[in-house]
Amino acid sequence: MIKRQEGYQLKEIESVYNLLPFGQKVADQKRGITMNETGVFLWKILEEPRPEEELIGLAAEHYGIAGNEEKEQLKKDILEFVSQLENLGILRRTFADQRRNAESSCYAGMQIAGIRIGFLGAEEMIPEKFHDFMIDFSGKWDQIIEFKEYPPGSRQNGQVLLRNKELTVSEWEEGYILTFPSMSSIYEAYMTEDGSYVEIYCRRPFGEEETDQLFHAIRMFYLYLAQKKGYYAVHSASILYEGKAWLFSGHSGMGKSTHTAMWHEQLGVPYLNGDLNLIGRKDGKMVVCGIPWCGTSEIYTTGDYELGGIVLLGRDTKDHVEPLIMYEKIMRVMQRMISPVWKEELLEKNLEIAKEIAKEVPVLHLFCTKEISAVETVKEEIDRLGKANDTNSMNSMERER
């Protein structure tokens, strides 16, 4: 589908038609062009997106062209006109159209929590940190990420949803515009509203720093689609204890890394992720899925594990677990989530999963020191909850008999 770019106005000046840029297009130093009769006709009918075949058919009907030879010439002229205006950034193809064209062209891809992401563009742009998640796949990708090694031909504007020193997100007619002010190698990126197609405009040359920036930028697009599919990211470190994933979370400086390190070093408990955990539902159970993003810890897993519970950390001079009422559990779990809250409906999604988590698994509030006694205190509570759960399950089975 071909459509107009925003930021151009058709004006008649002394019987001569011109497409004149305004707003962002002037800022991007785009120039206007003079339009002939056919160009004016095509511009007017492109008020709504149309496929090239429809443009040709409508033009043939408008000019009363019936012969095959004349139609072929008209087709050639129109395709040339469309190509010229695409190159000038005046017309563009819809993202849905671009995604269809890209589907069969992905040369590599990865799978995280069952979500398949295909890549299109220079192979060296794929961050090495995705290596353990790469797959061979020839079906339909859930998300396609296309790398483009140049600035966007025409920048888009939309309604700003959030802006800080790390990220700006704007909403526009086909989805979202993301810019990363602190990432010098990324001009900007676009994502469809359904999250199925992403364009990232990158700067050359491409080395370790640039691919590292891409690694972190891609996390935003993945987490958006994951949220749509029922998976949510919680800022936390995690361990595997008694076959279940336990998450430890708290504000910066609360010591989640120190605490999980004691579990690992003193008790031999395996690490899962050092900074970020993805929670969703599989086979009716809450699970933690392996993801490559793990802060600076370099600790991650590719496996999926049933969620045991979440421990919220607080500092004190004495180790003790304090009970939380349901409201506190829900709010504190939601506050530790980093899945997108760009719009109200995304906040609603985060709130709903926080409610489910708080009602299905233990959410503990551990006030603790930096000593091994902190681990012993919370381990004792986890073991107690595990025994209580086993007793309840046995009693339930007895009743069913």
Side-chain angles (χ1 to χ4, degrees):
M1 300 281 279
I2 304 296
K3 68 180 303 177
R4 300 175 180 178
Q5 285 279 17
E6 295 178 352
Y8 290 92
Q9 184 70 39
L10 183 65
K11 289 292 184 181
E12 182 184 4
I13 306 171
E14 296 295 322
S15 301
V16 178
Y17 282 93
N18 286 265
L19 269 182
L20 302 178
F22 64 90
Q24 183 64 45
K25 299 304 177 282
V26 173
D28 289 341
Q29 299 183 348
K30 297 297 182 179
R31 62 184 178 87
I33 63 169
T34 302
M35 301 280 276
N36 60 22
E37 181 186 353
T38 303
V40 171
F41 169 76
L42 292 173
W43 181 260
K44 288 181 176 179
I45 65 173
L46 277 170
E47 188 172 353
E48 297 293 331
R50 299 179 188 274
E52 291 161 305
E53 295 78 8
E54 187 176 340
L55 291 179
I56 296 164
L58 290 171
E61 181 181 340
H62 178 73
Y63 291 109
I65 295 175
N68 290 335
E69 188 173 335
E70 289 178 300
K71 278 188 175 180
E72 281 302 313
Q73 185 59 49
L74 177 67
K75 178 179 179 180
K76 180 180 177 181
D77 293 343
I78 288 177
L79 293 181
E80 184 178 342
F81 170 82
V82 168
S83 178
Q84 288 175 349
L85 266 63
E86 276 191 275
N87 291 335
L88 292 171
I90 295 173
L91 296 179
R92 66 179 179 84
R93 298 183 183 276
T94 62
F95 278 171
D97 200 31
Q98 293 184 59
R99 193 201 189 286
R100 281 192 296 272
N101 294 336
E103 183 73 51
S104 60
S105 303
C106 293
Y107 58 86
M110 63 180 179
Q111 181 169 288
I112 304 172
I115 299 171
R116 295 180 293 268
I117 300 99
F119 295 112
L120 185 61
E123 188 170 358
E124 62 266 30
M125 291 184 176
I126 301 178
E128 289 186 7
K129 293 177 180 178
F130 292 146
H131 180 268
D132 290 338
F133 295 84
M134 301 299 285
I135 58 168
D136 291 323
F137 182 68
S138 59
K140 184 176 177 60
W141 299 97
D142 298 300
Q143 184 179 72
I144 294 175
I145 297 177
E146 185 167 2
F147 303 120
K148 300 196 172 183
E149 307 166 45
Y150 44 81
S154 187
R155 295 178 182 270
Q156 311 299 334
N157 285 319
Q159 178 186 357
V160 176
L161 301 177
L162 67 87
R163 181 193 294 120
N164 59 35
K165 65 180 181 179
E166 303 291 337
L167 175 69
T168 298
V169 179
S170 301
E171 184 178 29
W172 70 309
E173 57 182 325
E174 288 201 67
Y176 298 99
I177 308 161
L178 280 76
T179 58
F180 304 87
S182 63
M183 298 184 184
S184 59
S185 66
I186 300 177
Y187 294 108
E188 60 187 32
Y190 303 99
M191 178 173 63
T192 54
E193 192 281 331
D194 65 1
S196 68
Y197 179 70
V198 177
E199 285 183 341
I200 304 179
Y201 289 86
C202 311
R203 189 191 309 272
R204 284 283 192 176
F206 233 77
E208 184 177 350
E209 181 180 351
E210 288 76 17
T211 53
D212 192 57
Q213 289 182 6
L214 268 181
F215 174 73
H216 292 292
I218 289 170
R219 188 186 76 175
M220 296 301 303
F221 307 114
Y222 174 79
L223 291 184
Y224 177 82
L225 182 61
Q227 185 185 48
K228 283 186 169 292
K229 293 183 175 293
Y231 292 90
Y232 300 80
V234 178
H235 186 205
S236 56
S238 57
I239 58 168
L240 184 66
Y241 179 62
E242 299 293 331
K244 294 184 179 181
W246 282 87
L247 278 52
F248 294 82
S249 185
H251 297 295
S252 179
M254 282 298 104
K256 67 181 189 297
S257 298
T258 300
H259 188 83
T260 52
M262 288 190 291
W263 279 85
H264 179 71
E265 294 166 6
Q266 301 295 324
L267 303 181
V269 173
Y271 284 124
L272 291 180
N273 193 294
D275 190 66
L276 193 65
N277 289 276
L278 192 71
I279 299 177
R281 190 180 294 281
K282 286 187 177 180
D283 301 324
K285 295 180 179 179
M286 286 290 178
V287 297
V288 175
C289 301
I291 57 176
W293 298 282
C294 57
T296 59
S297 71
E298 299 186 0
I299 297 169
Y300 66 90
T301 180
T302 59
D304 299 342
Y305 302 91
E306 183 178 350
L307 175 62
I310 298 176
V311 180
L312 305 169
L313 300 176
R315 279 274 164 251
D316 205 339
T317 57
K318 182 181 179 182
D319 304 306
H320 61 285
V321 176
E322 286 197 358
L324 294 171
I325 62 174
M326 185 56 66
Y327 163 78
E328 292 173 320
K329 293 179 181 181
I330 294 168
M331 287 301 296
R332 295 191 187 190
V333 169
M334 187 178 70
Q335 288 167 353
R336 304 312 301 153
M337 295 170 66
I338 66 164
S339 292
V341 285
W342 306 339
K343 299 174 67 178
E344 185 178 353
E345 55 262 37
L346 304 183
L347 172 64
E348 289 285 348
K349 285 178 174 289
N350 286 3
L351 178 57
E352 286 305 311
I353 192 66
K355 289 178 180 178
E356 292 182 33
I357 292 169
K359 292 175 181 178
E360 293 186 30
V361 302
V363 177
L364 309 177
H365 194 190
L366 173 66
F367 285 91
C368 61
T369 63
K370 294 184 178 181
E371 306 301 324
I372 188 63
S373 56
V375 172
E376 294 167 350
T377 297
V378 73
K379 178 179 175 296
E380 182 179 329
E381 179 64 11
I382 290 172
D383 290 341
R384 185 189 69 79
L385 291 170
K387 289 177 181 177
N389 187 57
D390 290 343
T391 300
N392 291 336
S393 296
M394 291 178 64
N395 291 340
S396 178
M397 291 173 62
E398 288 295 329
R399 287 194 295 271
E400 289 177 2
R401 290 176 185 172

